[in-house]
Every structure is written in structure tokens, then in C-alpha cells.
Amino acid sequence: MILHVEAQRNLVREQLKARGVASAHVEADLLLAGVLGISRGEVQMRSLLGREVTEQEALDVASATARRARREPLQHVLGVAPFLDMELAVGPGVFVPRPETESLVTAAVELIGSAVAGRQLAGVDVGSGSGAV
């Protein structure tokens, strides 16, 4: 069976929407991008160009979609969460870093930096989950 990226996107969107995922359109693209190992823009381009997904890719997308439809956090499904200018590994038992955490870390770095100008500092984040702090 041949499945086009656009058909896969629509299927994922419908499944997520049926389960009450508010941003089903965006999350469908993010799921496809994560599973296929490409950017969200690449998913959109492949969709417009009528590209296909392999049977294995379709199975992997279906598995990821089922996990998200069960309300597992998208970042856990994908295994990564964006944080500042990096991606952190996350999964069950690891809190997904929130935007507020980015603000906290940015403020702390600025405060520490101004307090000890000219000296190099090192720090360790132990026991807080993803290591974001």
C-alpha cells in the first residue's frame, strides 16, 4: 500500500483531533518530522510535492500517533524537548522543560555572570530530571 505524506498527515490530524488534542495540525507535522527525522518544513514540502512514506515509516508514525492519542506528552513520544538553543533527552519519569524554566535559567546565568565577571564557572544539575536547570 502506498501512502503519501499528505494522507499520513491527514490521518494523524484526524486521530489526534478525535482524542481532543487542541493543536492536532501542528502536532501531526511534529510527529511526522520526529519519526521521519526531518524538519517540520520538510514534512510540509514533501506533502505539497506528493512524496510517499515507506510502509515502515507509516507503521512508526502510527505507533507514535497512538502514544500521543493516549495523551502521552509529545516530547516523550519524540524523545526530545527543545530548551534554549539545544534539545534535551526526555521520556517517562523526566519532566519536560517549560518556557518558565528557560526564563529562570537565562536570568540565573545573567545574574551569576555579572556577579563573577572574568571568572569561569561550572555547575552541575543533579536530580532535577532533564538537566535543564
Side-chain angles (χ1 to χ4, degrees):
M1 176 174 98
I2 296 175
L3 191 58
H4 290 92
V5 172
E6 181 63 20
Q8 188 78 55
R9 284 173 83 197
N10 290 334
L11 181 61
V12 173
R13 287 174 178 171
E14 290 171 17
Q15 291 173 341
L16 295 180
K17 188 175 179 183
R19 294 301 306 231
V21 175
S23 53
H25 276 61
V26 172
E27 290 199 21
D29 287 356
L30 293 172
L31 276 171
L32 279 161
V35 170
L36 299 176
I38 59 178
S39 70
R40 183 174 174 215
E42 180 75 14
V43 168
Q44 294 166 347
M45 185 185 73
R46 289 183 185 190
S47 179
L48 289 170
L49 295 175
R51 298 289 197 261
E52 300 170 357
V53 292
T54 67
E55 284 186 47
Q56 185 59 56
E57 289 170 335
L59 290 171
D60 293 344
V61 169
S63 175
T65 301
R67 289 175 61 192
R68 182 62 186 122
R70 290 190 304 268
R71 306 305 285 208
E72 185 174 340
L74 177 64
Q75 297 87 346
H76 286 187
V77 174
L78 298 177
V80 294
F83 185 78
L84 297 173
D85 61 348
M86 52 193 137
E87 283 191 332
L88 302 176
V90 296
V94 177
F95 290 120
V96 174
R98 301 194 38 84
E100 297 85 3
T101 308
E102 290 184 347
S103 298
L104 170 73
V105 169
T106 300
V109 167
E110 289 173 4
L111 181 66
I112 291 169
S114 65
V116 291
R119 296 188 339 200
Q120 286 206 340
L121 295 177
V124 179
D125 177 8
V126 178
S128 66
S130 66
V133 177

